[in-house]
Amino acid sequence: MIPFVRAIWPGRASAVLLALTLAACARGGTSSSDAGVAPSPGAVAQGLAPVPGAPDFVPEARVPLMAQPEWRVSAAGRVAEGAETMVVSNSTVASEAGDEILRAGGNAVDAAVATGFALSVSHPIAGNIGGGGFMVIRLPDGRAYALDYRETAPAAATREMFVGSDGKADPARSRDGHLAAGVPGAVAGMADALRRFGTMPLARVIAPAIRLAEQGFVVDSMLTLSIRRTSTQLKKWNGELFFRADGAPLEPGDTLKQPDLARTLRRIAERGAREFYEGETADLLVAEMQRGGGIITKRDLATYEAVWREPLRGRFKGYEVITMPPPSAGGIVLLETLNVVSGVDPMPPFGSARYVHLMAETFRRAYIERNTLVADPDFVKVPVARLLAPSHADSLRATIDMTHASATPATLPPVEGQHTTHYITADKAGMVVSTTTTINDLMGNKVVVRGAGFLLNDEMDDFTAAPGQPNLFGLVMGERNAVAPGKRMLSSMTPTIVVSPDGRPFMATGGAGGARISTTVTQLVLNALGNRMGIADAMRAPRFHHQAWPDKLQLEKGGFSQAVRDSLTAMGHAIEEAGPIVNAMGLMRVNGKWQGVPEPRREGGAVAH
Ligand code: DON
């Protein structure tokens, strides 16, 4: 038998040849670069104008989703539909902030930035100015761009900084407290996106967020739960704002006002993004670091830059899939999986054991490569073109036995050496923006910057603290993703836009949920393009996940019949029943209108016009 690992890594010669054709992974330049991905040949690049003879997508709804009596995800009651514009996010008031900007004549980027700042107020468990993210933008003329505003490791970060005296990774330091924070990229990123593609001044798009912070918003049960879960740490690190006067966590129905955050946002609105990196906010952040033993300096902040990168592009059933390149591994997992399944015809029916098995085996292979080969492309060479080549998909497919699960190798092959939120905006010209932003863990590193009123991230935990040892999401990653000063930690975030064969925007999606984001986004795209589901069903359909290490197949509780579970067990899968998998957002263009669906498993709202 061919050893599994060898079989799924084709030879070096082909890798070199393919590397010569490598273009897609190149860094697109700095924030001033004009690099963007031109519309693909064959597609008619345009806004929303219908093309004669090209009918709009009509979901076939062939899949009997409610077949499982135990399946408890609510029926499709939350589809917002609009002829012109759409904002979908985890917070209705933040979606309304984006909608306000669209109503005032802003475009999808203006609205995305407004929604992003509003989420930092109304969805503080994940929305942020103390974290980072990725934004994929597609213009009405078909050009596409990827903005990387991922956090970076501070200059004083070291490879071993999260290894305890016992030689093991020490999650207490990489997840909670000051050392866990990477240099935040959110403000730089949002401001860069606005400068390049927006039409409104920063002050205008931040205004709804400032209003929300000053006037307050009504706390929901998700925020209360999050405060309860992290209250010990929040109380230690300036989190008083999340508690009532008697010290009890805010309850649903309470109003949360954030005067410090309002002042911070006002400073940014008045003085621009540099204020965050060089002004009073930077001073407050560095003072916080010094108080708590953190290492982010004024210089780390002043030198932070968001980076425009060329998005990855793939094709599936004639549709173009535009997604995030490294330092996210999400796009690679998504496109690699689509490449593998595009060679399987017919695909097994949705929800069958064979369908789940094929996808799980593909995810396993994609994750082995993700965890060992992908990292910050400015620090290591990532073989993107090789991983996305059709011949690579052919070799991966050839190793899949449709009757038996393969085994993930026990150790990493020697190649060398939860909190996030997704939002989508679309405008009447056809511009679509798909953004995922994160502070990583619930409440980030649980440190509120004193006087500035925002939570910091614990993104440093996305680095490999010690090879072979799992991070917060159970990801076991290799050397390439080791901590280094200035380096961006590997991500699973997968903001994605799908374009129909006639060149019009068709779908946008992305989500929160750590390592399970990439596999869920892949399933959402496949639900729509392969299984012909409408966006509501695509979002509601039961999900599953495999990430190679640990060698387990997670199935969403109640979503798969006993017979399917038994078959998968018989094939050799170690099945684990999982609660809701991923907090995703979905947008689809149907019959000439935008349809938006926030995650049916979680909170959120879509606002359409
Ligand atoms: O970038 C990543 O892959 C992680 N920091 C994402 C974390 C996440 O999705 C947590 N959310 N619920």
Side-chain angles (χ1 to χ4, degrees), residues 266-288:
R266 209 175 267 291
R267 282 195 301 275
I268 296 169
E270 284 164 6
R271 297 176 217 162
R274 293 322 298 169
E275 198 286 327
F276 184 92
Y277 294 93
E278 293 173 57
E280 190 182 332
T281 308
D283 291 339
L284 289 167
L285 202 160
V286 171
E288 182 58 51

Side-chain angles (χ1 to χ4, degrees), residues 315-379:
R315 285 218 157 259
F316 187 74
K317 294 197 180 292
Y319 289 74
E320 182 179 36
V321 180
I322 302 171
T323 186
M324 197 66 207
S328 178
I332 289 179
V333 169
L334 164 63
L335 296 182
E336 225 181 286
T337 307
L338 292 178
N339 286 348
V340 169
V341 302
S342 67
V344 179
D345 191 23
M347 271 289 277
F350 175 84
S352 65
R354 281 166 59 80
Y355 181 92
V356 177
H357 172 71
L358 169 66
M359 298 283 292
E361 288 299 304
T362 310
F363 289 152
R364 179 203 304 278
R365 285 153 176 77
Y367 260 80
I368 290 173
E369 295 179 334
R370 173 218 191 269
N371 290 357
T372 52
L373 297 176
V374 189
D376 183 346
D378 297 335
F379 281 72

Side-chain angles (χ1 to χ4, degrees), residues 193-217:
L194 190 74
R195 201 175 303 126
R196 191 162 178 193
F197 295 114
T199 63
M200 291 180 165
L202 192 58
R204 175 70 189 92
V205 298
I206 296 186
I210 297 175
R211 215 170 52 224
L212 268 174
E214 279 169 352
Q215 295 173 3
F217 68 93

Side-chain angles (χ1 to χ4, degrees), residues 150 418-420 438 440 459 462 473 491-493 512-514 517:
R150 184 75 163 158
Q418 125 153 297
H419 229 65
T420 305
T438 185
N440 196 34
E459 225 69 62
D462 276 349
F473 304 105
S491 173
S492 301
M493 296 188 288
I517 297 172

Side-chain angles (χ1 to χ4, degrees), residues 4 23 40 51 53 59 91 120 149 184 252 258 275 288 296 363 391 406 409 412 415 445 453 480 542 546 572:
F4 174 74
S40 59
V51 174
S91 152
S120 79
Y149 53 98
Q258 300 172 79
E275 198 286 327
E288 182 58 51
I296 297 177
F363 289 152
S391 57
S406 49
L412 288 177
V415 274
N445 70 347
R480 291 184 159 215
H546 203 301

